[in-house]
Amino acid sequence: MAWRYIHWLFACLLATQVAAAEGPAGNDKWLEPARSRLTADKHGLPFFPHRANTPGNGLLSVKDFDNAEVCGACHTEIYRQWRTSMMAHSWEEPIYRALLRHASEATGGTVDNFCTGCHTPIGLTTGQINSQVNRASVAFTAEHNPMPGVDCETCHNINARTGLDNGAYVLTPKANGRPTKFGPRSDAVSPYHDTVYSSLHTRSDFCATCHNVTHPFSSVAVERTYDEWLESPYSLSGQTCQSCHMPGFAGKAAIMGPDRTDVASHWFSGANAAVLDYLGQAEAAQRARESLQRAAQITFQTLPQSVAPGQRVSVQVKVANVGAGHKLPTGFPEGREVWIDFRAVDATGRELYRLGTIKDGGTEPGTRNFKVHLGDKDGKELDIEVWNATQVLSDNRILPMGYDVEEFSFEVPADAVGPITLTADLNYWPFSQRLVDYLLAKEQMRVEITLMAQVTGQIGLSPIPASGESRVASNPAEH
């Protein structure tokens, strides 16, 4: 027991030191207890329930921010990459906007700021967000209320954070009265704006502010992508979010700048090929597919060499998270799903067994999938109404560098023709077709099912055994 106490004491001391180094007193990893302190101070959360702050916690001026195209005049390659990303489209993304409309209407607008603060930070902090805007169509706001998504001015005007979730960034477009950009270079010089080195931009906790999401009223952990990384081997080995999602390339960060071997790419490749395709970003969609295909492996455990007709055969399938520095899948619990589509086919092409197909716009009942499930106060699972979430019902997603083994069992028909070919596809979609049809109406968007990995194998058919032998083979548990 003594060693457990020592371990606990060391952990407490370490946590205290980290909290002191990273932010103001009372600002710990979770939303509590900071929320109770901040909500009592009307100036503490000026964009409640979002946690964004500005200098003096007042509204910023739209004039303080440049359009991303202005940045692109000098940062041409970086701008070209960013323009095709989900970051660039975060405000006008149709699935998000449809969900936002439902959430705003269902809650009487109480979550308006919360949802928009990470999809258009400039829109929030300049006071352009209200229920009317949030409930309007993408086409309407593009014409009448144009706002940027997560753009150059958003990320490079953040100079601090006040927490690790719910948009706890400090947006500072000017320092000392001059346009200032914060970034990962100590030797960056610009004739257009001041440049300041920011160690925050080199660390994963920069991403945490929007990639950890806590329900602002029930405190349930809705998304925990940053924490999943923090508690992974990737964090311990020094690999950051930027290592995977902003890998370096040789070139210039700005046209007048020096040649560098490690310019941070701004593709921000993730896993949303479906929406990127819908938005006409074919190359970005392909990068998302390639990212998914690097993330996982699927294999059969030892297969039997042969099986007799009439016997029941069991096959174990191993799914490993080999490339994602967070759980597989991560983010957006209403949609993200990875699953196994397993099928057995005999030599004539006859399908003997299948589990994991799509029925009525979703994976069929019994599908072996990997997903987090949120529930309301009565334990009812929520498909869309995440604003009612009070608990996590289950979470069987695969940990970074972890794996899961699923078993499939079926009976070989007496008239099957050997050999039997087994195929297991590991599939992913960012949201089900059923959800998209509900949000956008049918035929508006086809949700791509991305094949992450596949494995095939064969089992031979042995001669039909005598009745006694058949009973022995079919009932190994009796021995």
Side-chain angles (χ1 to χ4, degrees), residues 83-101:
R83 193 68 192 89
T84 68
S85 71
M86 287 299 300
M87 294 287 197
H89 296 91
S90 60
W91 168 242
E92 60 197 33
E93 193 268 287
I95 301 299
Y96 158 69
R97 288 290 294 279
L99 278 167
L100 175 61
R101 175 173 57 83

Side-chain angles (χ1 to χ4, degrees), residues 370-405:
F370 307 99
K371 196 178 187 301
V372 59
H373 300 269
L374 298 180
D376 64 12
K377 60 182 178 59
D378 298 318
K380 175 187 175 184
E381 183 173 353
L382 300 171
D383 288 332
I384 295 173
E385 299 172 343
V386 66
W387 49 88
N388 289 329
T390 63
Q391 58 185 306
V392 175
L393 298 178
S394 65
D395 181 359
N396 70 336
R397 295 171 299 163
I398 305 175
L399 293 170
M401 296 191 184
Y403 68 89
D404 184 80
V405 176

Side-chain angles (χ1 to χ4, degrees), residues 202-204 229-230 232-245 322-325 401:
T202 70
R203 307 193 308 262
S204 293
W229 165 84
L230 182 65
S232 78
Y234 292 88
S235 170
L236 297 175
S237 64
Q239 297 183 67
T240 63
C241 304
Q242 293 90 330
S243 301
C244 289
H245 296 283
V322 297
M401 296 191 184

Side-chain angles (χ1 to χ4, degrees), residues 80 83-86 89 92-94 267 272-287 289 444-446 448:
R80 184 184 73 83
R83 193 68 192 89
T84 68
S85 71
M86 287 299 300
H89 296 91
E92 60 197 33
E93 193 268 287
W267 303 116
N272 207 335
V275 168
L276 288 166
D277 251 344
Y278 179 83
L279 295 171
Q281 302 295 347
E283 292 184 9
Q286 181 57 28
R287 281 189 291 272
R289 296 182 193 104
Q444 289 297 304
M445 179 190 295
R446 182 188 65 83
E448 172 183 316

Side-chain angles (χ1 to χ4, degrees), residues 46-345:
F47 305 100
F48 180 82
H50 200 265
R51 299 184 72 184
N53 290 100
T54 63
N57 286 343
L59 285 177
L60 300 172
S61 171
V62 175
K63 296 178 180 179
D64 289 337
F65 300 96
D66 282 328
N67 187 289
E69 292 179 356
V70 174
C71 307
C74 291
H75 303 279
T76 52
E77 176 59 20
I78 287 176
Y79 171 81
R80 184 184 73 83
Q81 295 175 5
W82 165 84
R83 193 68 192 89
T84 68
S85 71
M86 287 299 300
M87 294 287 197
H89 296 91
S90 60
W91 168 242
E92 60 197 33
E93 193 268 287
I95 301 299
Y96 158 69
R97 288 290 294 279
L99 278 167
L100 175 61
R101 175 173 57 83
H102 281 281
S104 179
E105 292 173 349
T107 63
T110 59
V111 298
D112 282 3
N113 284 355
F114 181 76
C115 296
T116 53
C118 282
H119 282 260
T120 175
I122 291 175
L124 174 72
T125 56
T126 56
Q128 299 180 70
I129 293 302
N130 57 51
S131 294
Q132 182 179 1
V133 169
N134 284 348
R135 298 174 193 179
S137 68
V138 173
F140 182 90
T141 56
E143 180 179 355
H144 300 284
N145 306 94
M147 290 182 287
V150 179
D151 65 350
C152 321
E153 291 281 74
T154 295
C155 290
H156 291 285
N157 281 318
I158 290 175
N159 70 324
R161 63 173 181 80
T162 62
L164 286 170
D165 68 350
N166 293 8
Y169 53 75
V170 181
L171 199 58
T172 308
K174 289 186 177 181
N176 302 317
R178 291 174 49 80
T180 305
K181 300 294 172 279
F182 302 89
R185 301 286 182 187
S186 59
D187 61 345
V189 177
S190 169
Y192 185 72
H193 54 73
D194 288 352
T195 58
V196 175
Y197 169 72
S198 166
S199 64
L200 178 61
H201 283 70
T202 70
R203 307 193 308 262
S204 293
D205 55 312
F206 180 86
C207 310
T209 56
C210 281
H211 290 279
N212 265 1
V213 179
T214 304
H215 194 294
F217 305 115
S218 71
S219 295
V220 68
V222 177
E223 298 179 26
R224 280 293 180 270
T225 301
Y226 169 77
D227 286 345
E228 292 163 15
W229 165 84
L230 182 65
E231 296 161 2
S232 78
Y234 292 88
S235 170
L236 297 175
S237 64
Q239 297 183 67
T240 63
C241 304
Q242 293 90 330
S243 301
C244 289
H245 296 283
M246 302 183 71
F249 67 94
K252 293 177 180 289
I255 55 175
M256 76 291 287
D259 289 317
R260 301 184 186 275
T261 59
D262 58 346
V263 179
S265 64
H266 284 61
W267 303 116
F268 298 108
S269 294
N272 207 335
V275 168
L276 288 166
D277 251 344
Y278 179 83
L279 295 171
Q281 302 295 347
E283 292 184 9
Q286 181 57 28
R287 281 189 291 272
R289 296 182 193 104
E290 292 168 359
S291 177
L292 284 164
Q293 289 159 1
R294 290 191 297 269
Q297 290 179 349
I298 187 168
T299 55
F300 289 131
Q301 303 289 72
T302 304
L303 292 176
Q305 289 188 345
S306 64
V307 62
Q311 281 190 317
R312 176 163 290 276
V313 59
S314 293
V315 176
Q316 291 187 328
V317 180
K318 178 181 178 180
V319 178
N321 179 352
V322 297
H326 42 66
K327 288 183 179 180
L328 189 68
T330 193
F332 189 53
E334 303 99 305
R336 307 291 189 254
E337 182 179 14
V338 171
W339 75 95
I340 302 169
D341 183 357
F342 177 90
R343 53 197 181 277
V345 178

Side-chain angles (χ1 to χ4, degrees), residues 420-439:
I420 297 171
T421 300
L422 307 176
T423 304
D425 293 343
L426 188 66
N427 292 329
Y428 168 86
W429 57 13
F431 22 69
S432 70
Q433 189 66 57
R434 183 189 301 127
L435 176 65
V436 171
D437 290 348
Y438 173 80
L439 293 173

